[in-house]
Amino acid sequence: MNNITDQILDRGAVLLLANSGKPQTLVGCELEELDLSDFVLNGWVFDQCILKKSKFTSAKLEKAQFIGCKGAQAVFTGAALGEAKFNGCDFNNVQFRGATLTQAKFQRCKLTGADFTQARTFDLTFEECKLNDARLRGISFARQTLKQLDLHNADLHQCDFRDSVFEDCSLRDAMLDHARFEGADLRGTDIGGVRLDDARRFKGATISRAQAAELLSELGLKVR
């Protein structure tokens, strides 16, 4: 694997590297606003790279790694990201619409406003991530342990949280229409702002006494 360090790369330079057929490691490189749609970049490593507004539409990025990258408003629509790893990245408002994220993993990432609509997400995992205002509808988190996820105001329509355990998470003001929580342990999460209709989604879940009191207070009831 070759290392390219501290370079400002244009589309032609990346294409030349891609055509070598060998995975590349880019360290501290700038690829801002490049259109890399349909490129084959399987196994590439992007370390501390600038990817703001870059386009990876339908690109092949199987087992790629993104470490400490800044990629606000990047586009991964329809990209193949199976087993890809994202660690310590700032990817706010990124598009993952229709992407394949099978067994992909996000750790310590900022994903505020990210759009995962219609993504293929079998065994997708998030850990210590900011997902406030993200669009995650239909994603399954069943039987996962969810650690330090900020899902404030996120679109969780039809998400599956059955038998999942929440540790230091937030569901405050999240959209929970048709989400499922049977068997979930919600005692480690902030459920403030939940409406009565949404509270019904928690049927079969475990909550604390304090959370129960908070839900009742939303109805104007006082617990003594």
Side-chain angles (χ1 to χ4, degrees):
M1 185 178 290
N2 298 319
N3 286 16
I4 310 297
T5 304
D6 297 330
Q7 299 291 315
I8 299 175
L9 301 174
D10 60 19
R11 188 176 187 277
V14 178
L15 181 59
L16 188 63
L17 292 168
N19 285 342
S20 73
K22 298 178 182 179
Q24 307 291 326
T25 295
L26 307 184
V27 182
C29 291
E30 184 176 323
L31 297 87
E32 187 169 354
E33 296 189 21
L34 292 190
D35 187 350
L36 306 178
S37 299
D38 300 306
F39 278 32
V40 179
L41 307 171
N42 293 323
W44 279 44
V45 177
F46 300 85
D47 188 347
Q48 308 293 322
C49 292
I50 304 299
L51 305 172
K52 292 179 180 178
K53 298 184 179 180
S54 296
K55 292 183 180 179
F56 294 90
T57 304
S58 299
K60 306 297 184 185
L61 288 155
E62 301 281 349
K63 298 184 179 180
Q65 296 183 56
F66 297 84
I67 305 165
C69 293
K70 295 186 182 299
Q73 299 180 56
V75 178
F76 291 89
T77 302
L81 287 154
E83 298 183 59
K85 294 182 179 179
F86 301 80
N87 197 317
C89 295
D90 182 349
F91 272 12
N92 70 83
N93 294 303
V94 166
Q95 291 282 338
F96 287 106
R97 292 181 66 92
T100 298
L101 289 157
T102 303
Q103 295 184 308
K105 188 169 187 176
F106 291 83
Q107 292 180 296
R108 295 180 291 281
C109 290
K110 182 179 179 182
L111 295 160
T112 301
D115 188 355
F116 292 86
T117 304
Q118 296 181 334
R120 298 171 180 84
T121 58
F122 176 76
D123 204 19
L124 169 66
T125 58
F126 298 96
E127 185 175 325
E128 297 180 39
C129 289
K130 291 185 179 296
L131 287 156
N132 46 304
D133 297 293
R135 279 160 279 184
L136 297 156
R137 57 172 53 201
I139 292 178
S140 175
F141 298 92
R143 295 174 294 282
Q144 290 189 22
T145 297
L146 308 178
K147 298 181 179 180
Q148 296 182 44
L149 300 187
D150 181 359
L151 294 160
H152 173 225
N153 208 42
D155 182 354
L156 304 177
H157 183 89
Q158 292 185 323
C159 284
D160 186 352
F161 293 103
R162 287 176 295 174
D163 298 312
S164 58
V165 178
F166 290 76
E167 296 183 358
D168 194 20
C169 297
S170 174
L171 288 170
R172 180 171 287 273
D173 297 318
M175 289 169 272
L176 301 173
D177 296 319
H178 303 292
R180 300 188 65 179
F181 289 92
E182 296 98 310
D185 186 342
L186 294 165
R187 289 175 291 181
T189 192
D190 177 1
I191 58 174
V194 171
R195 302 183 304 274
L196 176 59
D197 287 345
D198 288 333
R200 293 194 181 100
R201 316 291 177 206
F202 296 150
K203 183 177 180 180
T206 300
I207 63 174
S208 68
R209 291 180 181 276
Q211 288 171 315
E214 186 172 10
L215 286 174
L216 290 172
S217 72
E218 294 288 334
L219 303 177
L221 300 175
K222 295 181 180 180
V223 180
R224 296 186 183 277

